[in-house]
Amino acid sequence: MSNENGKSDVQCKIEQIIREGIQKKNGYLEKSRNLNIKDIQFEPDFYFWDSKNNKNIIGEIYAHVGPLKDGHKKKIAKDCLKLIAFERHYLEQETLEKKFICVDKSVEIYLNGKSWLAEIFKSFDIEVINYKELKEEHKQEIEKAQKTQAKGNY
């Protein structure tokens, strides 16, 4: 099955696992992800308050395994733009940290490498993190869901 954003139920489940894992590991407080700025609705994959460091953390989770095709790069670029747009309209008196979480080492390498997209991530201080805590069984679920999506059977 797929939701309105083209994500499979499996990808949504994995995002929830990652969101909860990040929150628990770091002791973050979850903030509402339904954000409205200048009558524009923003819904990042996570939005936390880090009370230890007195800052807000906003981010996107990319639950994809395997090589990146052009469409995948466009999805990543859209996520990046969402983070930048939110930052541009964010309250100036508070600190905001932007993160992009992926589940595949090759995505992390690509976004920290030499490409136009990697340069945008660096230029706008979006930290790329490979979520290594994801269990192998969950990665296999993602791969299976991706194959189903590729066939158009979702």
Side-chain angles (χ1 to χ4, degrees), residues 10 65 135-145:
V10 169
V65 178
K135 294 178 182 175
E136 190 57 38
E137 66 190 64
H138 292 131
K139 287 185 180 183
Q140 290 172 358
E141 285 183 64
I142 293 169
E143 287 177 326
K144 184 177 176 183

Side-chain angles (χ1 to χ4, degrees), residues 7 15 19 33 43-47 59-62 79:
K7 295 179 185 176
E15 285 181 7
R19 184 172 30 258
R33 294 185 299 129
E43 190 172 347
D45 289 335
F46 61 87
Y47 186 34
E60 290 292 313
I61 299 169
Y62 189 65
D79 284 347

Side-chain angles (χ1 to χ4, degrees), residues 6 10 21 25 28 37 44 70 81 83 102 110 127 140 149:
V10 169
K25 178 181 177 182
Y28 297 151
I37 300 171
D70 191 50
L81 288 171
L83 295 174
C102 58
Y110 176 76
E127 182 181 6
Q140 290 172 358
Q149 285 176 318

Side-chain angles (χ1 to χ4, degrees), residues 25-55:
K25 178 181 177 182
N26 298 292
Y28 297 151
L29 301 173
E30 188 165 22
K31 297 179 82 169
S32 173
R33 294 185 299 129
N34 295 316
L35 309 171
N36 190 310
I37 300 171
K38 294 187 177 183
D39 295 325
I40 299 170
Q41 188 67 30
F42 286 86
E43 190 172 347
D45 289 335
F46 61 87
Y47 186 34
F48 298 127
W49 171 249
D50 178 357
S51 59
K52 293 175 191 167
N53 298 303
N54 201 33
K55 63 183 171 185

Side-chain angles (χ1 to χ4, degrees), residues 81-98:
L81 288 171
K82 186 192 308 185
L83 295 174
I84 293 167
F86 179 77
E87 179 182 49
R88 293 295 179 246
H89 296 288
Y90 193 72
L91 301 174
E92 293 178 9
Q93 67 267 25
E94 296 187 41
T95 304
L96 179 70
E97 192 171 288
K98 301 174 301 301

